[in-house]
Amino acid sequence: MGVGTATRLSAIAPFRVMEILARARELEREGRDIVHMEIGEPDFPTPKPICEAGMAAIASGAVFYTPAQGLPALRVAISGFYRTRYGVEVPPSRIIVTTGASGALLLAVSALVNPGDRVLVSDPGYPCNRHFVRLLDGEPVGVAVGADSNYQLTPELIEQHWDSRTIAAIAASPSNPTGTITPVAHLETMTEIARKRGGTLIVDEIYHGLTYEGGVSTALALSDELFVINSFSKYFNMTGWRLGWMVVPERYVADVDKLAQNLFLAAPTPAQHAALAAFEPETLAILEARRAEFKARRDYLVPALRRLGFEIPQMPEGAFYVYAGCGRLTRDSFAFARDLLERAGVAITPGIDFGSLGFAGVMYGDPRSYGIEVGFKF
Ligand SMILES: Cc1ncc(COP(=O)(O)O)c(C=O)c1O
């Protein structure tokens, strides 16, 4: 008998949407025209000034490793972005450039979680969060959030679920899959609750920039003791470049740097050079025009879906997702998503991907019986 697989794999679920995507691609090969509302990335290409900076970097031979913490000039540029966009001073020394928000989340969890430690995550929420915690032999605790809590963790929920084994909570604002935003006052109280209990918050700000009812403030304005994650993937339309960043408390910098060296050596060098152009006024003008387009799509799609019988209690205030209850139309959101693809040529995400399992890191029973929601990307 050969070697088996690690037991932790049983707690890590695949993305169900990949099945939908694979079938969509198959139908496309057969000549069908498919509307893609399933993939969590902007349909806009990377803005030209960023591509040009990346190509120039490659042409000039910038293809070697950078320091693990990232290109110094990029860390200065990110610090400058916090100053101009949010009016917050973040020293470049606390900024670590990562392989997307994914790399940042893995680094944050690796720096914080001991075996058996609990981390609170919202359910529904971004599924990789709970998987990263499991990977480190921690225990993700899914906290059910719904329309009554704006689909976000709240101070009350944090108080209620934080126990002696809890060391952190992960909050994403705006969130995936619901696009809702945590009010600053909530974040402030949650930060204080975590601090009092000897823990911290990991705040995922990957959808910052993509808000439609006014701006949001960064959690970095509240405390220097939080782990705040961002990415070039979504607002900056750079998903495939695999680039993000994280701001960590000063006393964690050396340890996170050490982890980054070991896990990744460094984020991709051409991508880092390309991102230097991301904060230029010319690029930001392109991104702002695209944000207006996302808002127009949202304003069309949400009322239209409601008229079709989908339940959307909260208008998404950010990101580019609609999380829609389809309980009036089906009892099985996965079958519904498959059906919609076959019959109407529209690919969407089954709600199961985002939780709704009452999970403690494991899936119970037949996944098709869970979740009567589906996700649309606009
Ligand atoms: C909430 C959230 N965090 C993190 C990520 C990871 O993004 P990336 O690694 O491309 O920056 C995603 C991607 O969809 C996300 O939705």
Side-chain angles (χ1 to χ4, degrees), residues 17-18 21 25 36-46 126 176 206-207 210 212 231-242 290 294 297 319-321 349 354 376-378:
V17 69
M18 288 309 184
L21 179 60
R25 296 279 183 237
H36 287 280
M37 304 182 93
E38 83 287 40
I39 309 174
E41 63 183 341
D43 54 333
F44 300 112
T46 303
Y126 181 59
N176 179 0
I206 186 170
Y207 293 104
L210 291 170
Y212 310 112
S231 174
F232 289 98
S233 285
K234 312 290 175 163
Y235 175 63
F236 297 98
N237 307 160
M238 291 179 71
T239 46
W241 299 75
R242 307 310 304 128
R290 290 175 179 184
F294 277 131
R297 291 178 189 178
F320 34 61
Y321 304 120
T349 303
F354 305 106
F376 294 85
K377 192 216 63 173
F378 50 82

Side-chain angles (χ1 to χ4, degrees), residues 64 80 138 171 201 222:
F64 300 100
L201 296 186
L222 302 173

